[in-house]
Amino acid sequence: PEEHFERLEYILAVIKELGLSGEEGLRAAGLELRHVCCEKHATITDLQECKEEEKATEEDRPPEHDDSSVSDASQLGDTEAQEEQPQHCDDCITRLIHKQTDTLIDTYNRKTFVSDGPMYDEISRFCMECAHENMIKEGDLKWVTIEEDDRGSINALVSSTHPAAGGTEAARPTLLVVTGKGKVRAGIFSRQHIQTTGLEPSTALFVIREAKKRKMNIVMLDPNVRGEREAYIVIEKSMAKLFQYIEKSPA
């Protein structure tokens, strides 16, 4: 136990001294977020190969005929909505792994590799930063500053097509994601599950993918940036700035 605590103190000291974040921080702690394939794709080791395999599977499936349904493309009146979208297997998942032992971190062993307290907070931060990188890439999102003062910035993750991010698609339907109270940040639903269950089920990544398919703008607020007590104020300020661009429907 004494050696264990000494090791944790050393890791935390290195992280603080070097100002590490994201993947670098996880690497310093002997951890990594790794794409873990489902049983169907168990022989595939590369993420891109996994996506290509799933895409091929989708193409082989017979089309479903339902006269009562209306495509998302026609609902949105967007002729480009039929363009090719990346395919994803819902059962393949990105998991936190202890590199030296190649062990998946779960509810039962988490404290062995990530102790409660400062270590938990730091690993959570690194995982959330990695999740943001993933969501920004897949959703074509940008950080937009809502307000900045001596307490720091209030930011939101916004589609590049949204006017607040320099886009011109104000009329598009908008997916609004507001996370709950606590220490979770924009688009993150659970700090515990991002460590023990996986990146996809603990973040807004799945709904981002669905919104992209439907040609929707995406807005993800960061209500806890100034703590729980100011969360509602942050939401109000964010909504006021980001949704001023929405075109009013004709009377």
Side-chain angles (χ1 to χ4, degrees):
E2 194 170 319
E3 291 180 0
H4 177 67
F5 287 118
E6 287 179 358
R7 173 180 165 275
L8 291 180
E9 288 179 4
Y10 172 74
I11 290 173
L12 288 171
V14 169
I15 288 169
K16 185 176 181 180
E17 182 178 348
L18 298 179
L20 300 179
S21 61
E23 290 184 7
E24 288 184 341
L26 289 178
R27 199 177 303 121
L31 304 167
E32 70 173 351
L33 281 168
R34 187 187 303 171
H35 184 74
V36 179
C37 292
C38 65
E39 185 177 344
K40 176 182 175 183
H41 301 132
T43 59
I44 300 174
T45 57
D46 182 75
L47 175 58
Q48 187 59 37
E49 288 181 10
C50 181
K51 290 181 179 179
E52 290 173 358
E53 174 72 15
E54 183 62 19
K55 177 182 175 182
T57 303
E58 291 285 341
E59 291 174 347
D60 289 341
R61 290 175 184 162
E64 296 181 4
H65 298 285
D66 185 356
D67 295 335
S68 64
S69 65
V70 181
S71 70
D72 293 314
S74 61
Q75 287 182 28
L76 295 177
D78 191 338
T79 57
E80 296 180 357
Q82 296 288 351
E83 70 182 26
E84 186 177 352
Q85 295 289 342
Q87 300 295 322
H88 301 277
C89 173
D90 293 335
D91 295 320
C92 294
I93 200 165
T94 307
R95 292 289 303 273
L96 186 63
I97 291 176
H98 183 252
K99 293 172 66 176
Q100 186 175 3
T101 60
D102 208 36
T103 303
L104 285 171
I105 308 298
D106 58 28
T107 305
Y108 303 102
N109 65 21
R110 195 266 302 168
K111 291 184 180 181
T112 302
F113 301 102
V114 182
S115 62
D116 290 335
M119 185 69 171
Y120 180 87
D121 289 337
E122 287 298 293
I123 299 304
S124 295
R125 176 170 68 87
F126 298 149
C127 288
M128 288 191 289
E129 288 167 346
C130 290
H132 283 150
E133 290 178 10
N134 275 269
M135 290 188 285
I136 287 170
K137 183 178 180 181
E138 291 210 25
D140 190 20
L141 309 176
K142 294 180 179 180
W143 283 108
V144 172
T145 300
I146 308 299
E147 179 182 282
E148 192 167 8
D149 58 24
D150 55 0
R151 293 174 296 172
S153 300
I154 296 175
N155 300 305
L157 277 171
V158 181
S159 295
S160 61
T161 53
H162 191 284
T168 58
E169 300 293 339
R172 285 189 177 189
T174 300
L175 169 69
L176 174 63
V177 179
V178 184
T179 48
K181 65 181 182 179
K183 295 183 179 181
V184 291
R185 304 303 299 273
I188 312 294
F189 302 137
S190 170
R191 295 197 307 160
Q192 176 182 341
H193 283 293
I194 204 170
Q195 294 187 38
T196 61
T197 308
L199 187 148
E200 288 82 358
S202 60
T203 70
L205 192 55
F206 173 76
V207 290
I208 285 172
R209 291 169 178 170
E210 293 301 308
K212 285 288 287 182
K213 290 178 185 177
R214 291 160 174 76
K215 294 293 180 180
M216 299 175 71
N217 280 329
I218 300 163
V219 171
M220 297 199 298
L221 307 187
D222 194 14
N224 301 314
V225 65
R226 290 182 174 172
E228 289 185 40
R229 299 175 76 88
E230 290 196 45
Y232 188 72
I233 296 172
V234 171
I235 292 172
E236 281 188 321
K237 290 181 177 180
S238 301
M239 294 285 285
K241 178 165 183 177
L242 296 172
F243 286 88
Q244 66 178 308
Y245 299 96
I246 295 180
E247 297 177 356
K248 294 182 179 179
S249 301

